[in-house]
Amino acid sequence: MKKIFIIFVLLCGNSYAESSFKVYGMGGTGHSAGLSYGGGITYTWNTIPQENKKLIHVADLNIFLLGVQDFEHKKYFNITDPGFQFNFFLTYGLGFKTKNNILISFDVIGMGINVTARDNVFLGDPGGSTYTKIGTLFNTLGVQLTMPNGFYFAWRNTFTGFNWRSTEVYRETTSIADAGEFKTLLIFGYSFGLDR
């Protein structure tokens, strides 16, 4: 995490860097989060390709706000488990610009936090109960495309290992190291401020 932060600082102060601000909607699926939908914002710094250096270093700061539907619990425990997630993470990647000035970058590694609030509804608790999970989020193996006209498309993947969870009604004690949650997301939006 410290190395990713240092890369951000260096890119911000680099005269060979440019930045952009992206807004977008997204949808996806994954283990545990059977259906994910929502939106997000990203602030990105990337180096400008030089005559002798075509490779671009990319660092971005991401905030995802997602609704999630947990079909896994419904399948195995007859529980409908809708919820809301806040995801905040930093990512480092590598990329290049095509001759048509399309910026293509690949996520290498990212890290942040995931906060989930969910309402359980199951046979023994008809009124439902709310619980909170906080986890360490990792981001990797994704691709982002920014077109010259500002159109933005991405395929991104996150994995959250839950480190803490408040007590749930159907479990009588607080659980540590809850099962992880993988999500794959398709993102469509617009990029502002990128030098074109």
Side-chain angles (χ1 to χ4, degrees):
M1 188 69 167
K2 185 177 178 182
K3 290 181 180 179
I4 293 174
F5 180 75
I6 291 171
I7 291 169
F8 269 91
V9 173
L10 292 175
L11 285 174
C12 290
N14 191 338
S15 61
Y16 296 105
E18 59 187 4
S19 62
S20 63
F21 178 75
K22 301 175 179 72
V23 293
Y24 43 81
M26 66 182 74
T29 187
H31 169 69
S32 185
L35 178 64
S36 300
Y37 45 86
I41 56 176
T42 295
Y43 193 78
T44 302
W45 296 269
N46 62 267
T47 56
I48 300 170
Q50 303 299 310
E51 197 69 34
N52 58 342
K53 291 182 180 179
K54 302 297 183 183
L55 190 65
I56 295 175
H57 296 273
V58 181
D60 55 42
L61 176 66
N62 307 273
I63 297 175
F64 291 177
L65 301 177
L66 296 171
V68 294
Q69 184 71 44
D70 190 340
F71 295 129
E72 182 186 72
H73 277 185
K74 185 175 181 182
K75 180 179 178 183
Y76 293 108
F77 305 112
N78 198 28
I79 298 170
T80 302
D81 191 7
F84 175 80
Q85 289 189 347
F86 170 81
N87 299 275
F88 175 83
F89 59 99
L90 304 173
T91 299
Y92 168 74
L94 296 170
F96 61 92
K97 276 191 176 179
T98 68
K99 292 181 180 178
N100 297 326
N101 211 29
I102 299 171
L103 174 60
I104 301 173
S105 65
F106 301 90
D107 296 342
V108 174
I109 189 68
M111 189 173 178
I113 62 168
N114 169 293
V115 179
T116 303
R118 284 185 169 165
D119 292 324
N120 278 329
V121 180
F122 63 102
L123 296 176
D125 181 24
S129 61
T130 301
Y131 70 96
T132 302
K133 296 196 282 190
I134 300 173
T136 304
L137 182 148
F138 298 94
N139 176 77
T140 189
L141 302 177
V143 61
Q144 303 180 62
L145 283 80
T146 307
M147 309 296 283
N149 63 4
F151 175 75
Y152 171 69
F153 169 77
W155 171 57
R156 307 191 83 175
N157 297 285
T158 64
F159 178 82
T160 301
F162 289 108
N163 307 110
W164 179 85
R165 176 174 60 189
S166 62
T167 302
E168 302 177 39
V169 170
Y170 69 93
R171 294 188 185 186
E172 296 179 358
T173 169
T174 299
S175 177
I176 305 298
D178 188 16
E181 181 176 275
F182 170 78
K183 287 192 294 294
T184 185
L185 300 163
L186 291 178
I187 298 169
F188 298 89
Y190 191 82
S191 174
F192 301 89
L194 186 67
D195 294 337
R196 303 189 213 291

